[in-house]
Amino acid sequence: MKLSFFAVITLSMISFKDSQLQHARVKEAYRSKEETVKSLFKTKHLQQDGFNLFIRAFKKEGKLEAWIKEKHNTNYTLLTTYDFCTTSGTAGPKRKEGDLQIPEGIYHINHFNPQSNFYLSLGINYPNASDKILSDRQKPGGEIYIHGNCVTIGCIPITDDKIKELYILAVEARNNGQEKIPVHIFPCRMDDSGMKSLEGHFAKPDLISFWNNLKDIYLDFEQTHLINPMTIDKTGRYVLTR
């Protein structure tokens, strides 16, 4: 059925949030968790109007952080932290389909799935440009999500209850005009203690180089609370350009 000119215009005027609220699970998430999300902002004395979202995850600790940048601010503030419900794989990046690894690297949300098999889910852009250089060229794997439920073969599950909150945050940020919600995934907190915990894997030179590269990104945010611009060079290395 062809839509009329006015129907097309009307559809184009529907906000991202409105389009998401047409789905039952998103509507339920807002019904049951919107006040919880508002209280998180109130507790941290943060304004909800026009915020940006940054997600940071640590595999060893099993923690996922949600950071907020207010509309008229340049720095991010930690809003809340969620626990991984379960995990899979070991320390080290995802490099091949079926390896069960949770990726490590610098990503962004590229898919909102309000009808996920795992309640609600937020897809990340794995394989990114770095992964395409460093991973298996034929079968690097894909379809990596932060989602509900409590099962995984390479994704990050945080339960149905908590994905409702994170999904609301992501919808609001996207509705505010944030086209790319950054997601940084690390093997651990890459401070001195965290790097020491990785020593057992340091016999692999490629991992040493990769993790030292990620450590640069980790420390840059720790020092500035800014998402500074970066590129990916021809070797797959992340390069800060500030």
Side-chain angles (χ1 to χ4, degrees), residues 105-111 122-126 128 144 179-184:
I106 310 306
Y107 302 98
H108 63 264
I109 297 298
N110 69 348
H111 184 212
L122 299 166
I124 69 168
N125 67 317
Y126 174 90
N128 65 14
I144 303 298
E179 294 291 335
K180 290 185 177 180
I181 297 170
V183 180
H184 294 186

Side-chain angles (χ1 to χ4, degrees), residues 25-40 48 82 119-120 159-169:
R25 292 177 189 172
V26 181
K27 189 180 295 185
E28 166 57 22
Y30 271 85
R31 186 199 66 78
S32 62
K33 287 291 186 172
E34 186 173 19
E35 291 305 314
T36 300
V37 171
K38 287 180 179 179
S39 71
L40 292 174
Q48 284 186 263
Y82 300 109
Y119 196 70
L120 295 167
T159 73
D160 291 357
D161 182 63
K162 298 306 181 185
I163 194 61
K164 292 177 183 178
E165 296 178 20
L166 187 63
Y167 202 90
I168 289 173
L169 288 170

